[in-house]
Every structure is written in structure tokens, then in C-alpha cells.
Amino acid sequence: MSDAGGEDVLKALSDYLAGDMQACNQAIIDRMQSSVPLIPQLGAHLVAAGGKRLRPLLTLASARLCGYGHTPEQQRHVGLAACVEFIHTATLLHDDVVDESALRRGAASANALFGNKASVLVGDFLFARSFQLMTADGSLEVMSILSEASATIAEGEVLQMSTQNDLSTPVERYLTVIHGKTAALFAAACRVGAVVAGKEGAEEKALESFGTNLGMAFQLVDDALDYAADQQTLGKTVGDDLREGKITLPVLAAYGAASPQERAFWERVIEKNEQTPDDLPTALSLIEKTGAIEITLARAAAYADRAVAALEIFPESELKTLLIRTVTYAVNRAR
């Protein structure tokens, strides 16, 4: 599975949905307004920092794939795409505080600029805005899907915290973590596109499967990039996962294939959290030696194949092709 377009794939998808994305971005800007000055200030920083807007793109694309959004009267998908982005951004604000991250998307994180308290509280504000958008949509089914995803994200983050520094974590539990923290919102973003189009049957199930598997592949590649990318490519400090003692598949794979001496290294830096400046290069060397990145990317590719297969029920179209290419982009970011 290869696609030389890279980021151009997402630009092509965004261009295809240009009218919807413009309306979505305007809804995001409008809903970030507040009489409390700090909220729009921090919101402006988030908007300026950019980002792929992948999750709202998936909502818009899923609705279009199901035949919705082709007339001026059909605008529900726009508000729900903004809702999905607010949920995602709120979790990022909270995550950066929990992880003590200094960078986000290659720029200073909100907590680094505005402080932890402001980031947490503005994250709460964005969560509240997302639920206002759900309520405005008026569908209990949509609210059920997105509120359940919000709860699952929180559960995934708590589960990740409970596995931190624990090298005995089974791979299955790690996969449960990334399903919660990433794939659940991808799935919900796609599902609501089908629901607003009135396609609550096979199409909804297919798009939920597409989103779930794309999200799993996306997070696996993100975890691989933490040990295989430079800081500019990654958009955050290389080695953050190691510093935080996060249990990811590259670490589990390297630890599982390690010699006794190498296992002692991992136990010191991950479980005991006793780290020196020389430990990151050693970790990167051990990751490479054991083929842990290749193991992680192979699993990501398997999820990507399932995502593509889920789209088979939809007729061939330019939009379907762009979604397939988006899956390819997601798994090729580390190559």
C-alpha cells in the first residue's frame, strides 16, 4: 500500500469538500467566541496552529458518501463536523497538560503558552460547546454516538495512565487504549455522517468499521513515529513517549525481543523512570535492532486493509478513492 501524495491527499480531500470545510471552519471560529477574553485568545492560538482537521473531514466525507450535503438545506453534517473537532481539540488540551507537552503540531503547546489551568478550563469549555452542537442537531442517536465516544476517550486516557511504566502490559490492553483514545472518535465521526444521511443500516456499520480501523492504524503509526521521526516531522519532541514512560507497541515489541541486559535497560528507563540524556539514543538503537517499528507498521497496515475493505459496499467515486488514499497516507507517514 503506497501513495506518494502524502499531505497532498488530505489537501485533495479538503479541496473536494471545500464548501463544507469552509462552513465547518467558520462554525468552529464562531463557537470559540466568548465574552471571557482568554477563551478566544487561546482559541485563536489553536486555529493558527492548524492541524489536519482529519476527524471533521471524515464526518463531512461520510455524509457525502451516503448522499447527504448536496443541497443548501442539508447542513447538519457541518455542525457535527465542528462538534467532532471540538471534542478532539478539548482532549488535546487536556492531554498536553497531563503529558506536560511543550510542543503541539510543531509549535508551542497551549499549556506552554497559557499555563495548565487555562488549558484545562478552555478544554472544558470546548467540551461544553461540543455538547451544545449535539443538542442543536436535535438527534438523540447522534448525541448517543458522540457522547459515548467522549466517554470512551476519557476511559482510554485513564487506562493509558494506568498502564504507564508497566512493561507487563499485554498488547491487547495497549490496543484497547488506542481504540479508546483515538479510534473511538474516528468511528463516531464517520458514523454520524451516515446517520444524518438516513443510512442507519449497512452503510453506518461500514463507516463505523472504516473509522475504527483507520483510527487504529493512525495511532499505531503515531506511536511508531515517536521512535522513528525527527522533531519537525513529528510535530512534538521526539522521545516524549519514552520520557513519559508510555507503553506503546514499539516498546513492547523491543522489550519482548530483548536480551537480559537490554530488558534491564527498558526496566530502568520505563518502569523505574530513571533516565539519562543518553537513554533516548540507546532506546532508538534497540527499537531499530529488534525491528519494533516494522512490527508496529505491519499491524497498522493490517488495520488499514480492513478500513479499505469496509468501503467496498459503496459505489466507485472520486470521494471513495480519496478516502482510500487517506488510509494509505495514514500508514505511510512513517516511511
Side-chain angles (χ1 to χ4, degrees):
M1 181 180 285
S2 65
D3 193 312
E7 294 275 0
D8 291 341
V9 176
L10 294 188
K11 184 180 184 304
L13 181 61
S14 185
D15 288 346
Y16 184 91
L17 300 165
D20 289 345
M21 275 305 296
Q22 183 177 359
C24 177
N25 287 332
Q26 188 59 53
I28 290 170
I29 292 170
D30 290 346
R31 290 284 181 160
M32 278 186 173
Q33 298 309 307
S34 169
S35 59
V36 179
L38 183 58
I39 292 175
Q41 287 172 14
L42 200 150
H45 169 74
L46 296 173
V47 171
K52 304 175 184 68
R53 293 272 199 270
L54 178 54
R55 292 153 188 82
L57 274 171
L58 291 175
T59 297
L60 299 173
S62 296
R64 288 284 187 135
L65 199 64
C66 291
Y68 184 89
H70 296 280
T71 66
E73 296 78 21
Q74 296 179 331
Q75 293 296 308
R76 289 175 62 196
H77 62 318
V78 172
L80 293 176
C83 174
V84 165
E85 182 66 6
F86 277 135
I87 294 171
H88 174 57
T89 305
T91 63
L92 293 186
L93 285 170
H94 291 165
D95 287 352
D96 283 347
V97 171
V98 171
D99 297 339
E100 300 178 354
S101 299
L103 291 176
R104 169 65 66 180
R105 296 165 180 161
S109 61
N111 54 299
L113 290 177
F114 296 92
N116 288 340
K117 292 179 181 179
S119 292
V120 169
L121 293 173
V122 173
D124 292 344
F125 172 84
L126 296 183
F127 262 129
R129 281 289 196 238
S130 74
F131 278 87
Q132 287 178 328
L133 285 163
M134 289 181 220
T135 303
D137 180 73
S139 166
L140 285 177
E141 184 174 5
V142 164
M143 182 172 286
S144 175
I145 291 168
L146 291 174
S147 60
E148 182 177 343
S150 299
T152 301
I153 293 167
E155 289 175 339
E157 295 292 349
V158 173
L159 183 59
Q160 178 172 260
M161 185 177 65
S162 71
T163 64
Q164 197 163 316
N165 307 110
D166 184 3
L167 288 166
S168 68
T169 300
V171 171
E172 291 73 19
R173 177 159 290 193
Y174 159 75
L175 294 174
T176 300
V177 168
I178 66 173
H179 174 270
K181 63 180 284 188
T182 301
L185 187 56
F186 274 69
C190 294
R191 279 185 71 188
V192 296
V195 170
V196 298
K199 303 291 186 180
E200 289 94 339
E203 292 90 348
E204 181 186 349
K205 291 180 181 178
L207 285 168
E208 179 183 17
S209 175
F210 170 75
T212 297
N213 286 292
L214 173 58
M216 295 294 289
F218 193 91
Q219 188 59 53
L220 279 159
V221 173
D222 262 12
D223 290 346
L225 281 169
D226 203 77
Y227 292 96
D230 58 38
Q231 184 167 305
Q232 183 175 1
T233 300
L234 190 58
K236 64 178 185 178
T237 308
V238 173
D240 270 355
D241 287 355
L242 179 72
R243 177 179 60 80
E244 295 159 15
K246 284 186 179 176
I247 301 301
T248 60
L249 188 54
V251 168
L252 291 176
Y255 182 67
S259 68
Q261 182 179 359
E262 292 164 350
R263 288 172 77 89
F265 165 82
W266 287 115
E267 288 160 6
R268 174 175 61 81
V269 298
I270 296 291
E271 294 196 330
K272 297 179 181 178
N273 201 29
E274 297 174 357
Q275 299 184 12
T276 70
D278 295 330
D279 287 334
L280 178 58
T282 301
L284 296 177
S285 176
L286 293 177
I287 292 278
E288 182 178 3
K289 174 185 173 182
T290 55
I293 296 299
E294 289 73 18
I295 291 169
T296 303
L297 295 182
R299 194 174 285 253
Y303 281 111
D305 289 343
R306 293 176 206 164
V308 171
L311 295 179
E312 289 177 357
I313 71 165
F314 294 98
E316 297 304 315
S317 66
E318 181 181 358
L319 181 55
K320 177 180 173 179
T321 298
L322 286 171
L323 286 173
I324 292 172
R325 290 182 62 206
T326 298
V327 176
T328 306
Y329 153 73
V331 295
N332 283 346
R333 289 174 298 142
R335 298 188 186 279

